[in-house]
Amino acid sequence: LWEPRVLSLIAALVTAGLVLMVVRFESQSWTIAVSSCGFVVAGYALLVGRPEVARPEIVMMALALGGFVALRTIRGMTGAVCAAVLLTLAWLFHAEAVWFVAGALFYLAYEERARLLAFMACTLVLGGGGYLLLSAFLGPWFNYNAWDSLVVSLRFNPGELVRYAGDQLLGRLGVLTMAAVLSFALPAAPWLGPAGMWVCMAFATVCAGLFATQSAFAGPQSLVPSVVILAIIGPVSMQRITRHLSAWPGSSRLGGEGVVLAGLSLQFFMFFSRLSTHF
């Protein structure tokens, strides 16, 4: 079945390209942007599982990230409509995207209420209409796979919650996670302003990851959203923290850039330490 494999591969490359564009836009640094793109590729290859296998989560993530990029770069109602279309398509590919819809709604309600109504209306119309059309076209098996199998597979497993937080976020992606957490200590709150949508997306990702661990079908693919969002906010947070510290007397911007490069190198080292296990 090469068609879904090609679709999954294209979605992975699109996601890496979007991450490159977003980090370059937010950090104004090609070094950090290329490193973030490398984090996505390495994370997909070494953490998510076999990259040649078709994954609906990978296609969902490409569409969800595209929706947030549209919301960030396209002003006015046009950006809200484009974001609603892409996020609704992401939800139709995988139910986990409902967390990203909620994250976008929270951001718009907090920062840009003028676009909230247009986003909500488009999401409800497209989501409801798309679900009815797919249900009528594909029959009862669509409803079963979309809802019944998901609900039946849920079970409370606190051990998986701890493993997701400890082994995956703080272990395999520990450098990026700690940089994102430390950014909350900066005088300028990272969740405020236009760039605050990435923090909202990060919270949605954590909720999606915790929820995914409670499914009997949970696997390495549940780490897809975490890899992507931490590849964005992790390096950007490193840069903001070091720039703030380099403004203090006795510090230099060159030294701060060296710390950023050291942090990025450490995360690459953690990725490459998985090579022996992967092979």
Side-chain angles (χ1 to χ4, degrees):
L1 300 177
W2 63 269
E3 295 92 343
R5 284 178 160 184
V6 170
L7 179 61
S8 182
L9 177 61
I10 292 174
L13 295 176
V14 168
T15 302
L18 288 174
V19 168
L20 175 71
M21 183 181 72
V22 168
V23 177
R24 175 70 178 92
F25 181 77
E26 299 292 350
S27 68
Q28 299 299 311
S29 169
W30 278 110
T31 301
I32 297 178
V34 173
S35 298
S36 297
C37 180
F39 290 151
V40 174
V41 176
Y44 275 7
L46 302 176
L47 301 184
V48 172
R50 298 169 62 188
E52 71 275 10
V53 176
R55 300 283 190 190
E57 293 87 354
I58 293 179
V59 181
M60 176 272 294
M61 198 62 221
L63 292 168
L65 182 58
F68 275 85
V69 170
L71 202 60
R72 178 73 172 93
T73 57
I74 304 175
R75 294 300 173 188
M77 299 301 173
T78 305
V81 172
C82 292
V85 171
L86 291 171
L87 285 170
T88 303
L89 286 174
W91 172 71
L92 292 174
F93 265 93
H94 198 280
E96 197 173 276
V98 71
W99 293 104
F100 297 115
V101 176
L105 284 171
F106 180 83
Y107 167 76
L108 291 173
Y110 192 79
E111 286 286 338
E112 300 186 39
R113 295 183 181 178
R115 298 200 288 174
L116 176 62
L117 185 59
F119 180 85
M120 288 182 61
C122 290
T123 302
L124 290 174
V125 171
L126 295 173
Y131 183 86
L132 290 176
L133 288 175
L134 288 173
S135 180
F137 181 73
L138 298 176
W141 278 111
F142 171 74
N143 294 318
Y144 172 79
N145 284 281
W147 294 107
D148 296 351
S149 63
L150 178 65
V151 174
V152 170
S153 68
L154 293 178
R155 78 276 189 266
F156 180 62
N157 189 344
E160 287 297 317
L161 293 175
V162 175
R163 192 179 73 84
Y164 171 74
D167 179 50
Q168 297 178 352
L169 292 185
L170 296 177
R172 304 175 187 181
L173 300 167
V175 176
L176 301 178
T177 302
M178 289 306 300
V181 172
L182 291 175
S183 68
F184 284 83
L186 293 174
W191 60 86
L192 298 179
M197 69 173 57
W198 305 119
V199 177
C200 294
M201 190 178 183
F203 278 116
T205 298
V206 172
C207 293
L210 292 174
F211 187 80
T213 61
Q214 304 306 292
S215 172
F217 303 115
Q221 66 273 14
S222 62
L223 201 59
V224 166
S226 302
V227 169
V228 173
I229 192 60
L230 286 175
I232 294 175
I233 65 172
V236 173
S237 298
M238 287 183 199
Q239 185 193 52
R240 290 175 178 172
I241 293 170
T242 53
R243 282 184 175 178
H244 175 72
L245 295 177
S246 64
W248 287 76
S251 302
S252 65
R253 184 170 181 177
L254 183 61
E257 292 177 352
V259 172
V260 172
L261 293 176
L264 298 176
S265 301
L266 286 173
Q267 184 58 62
F268 273 117
F269 177 78
M270 295 182 73
F271 277 130
F272 295 147
S273 67
R274 304 280 304 174
L275 281 175
S276 59
T277 304
H278 179 73
F279 286 132

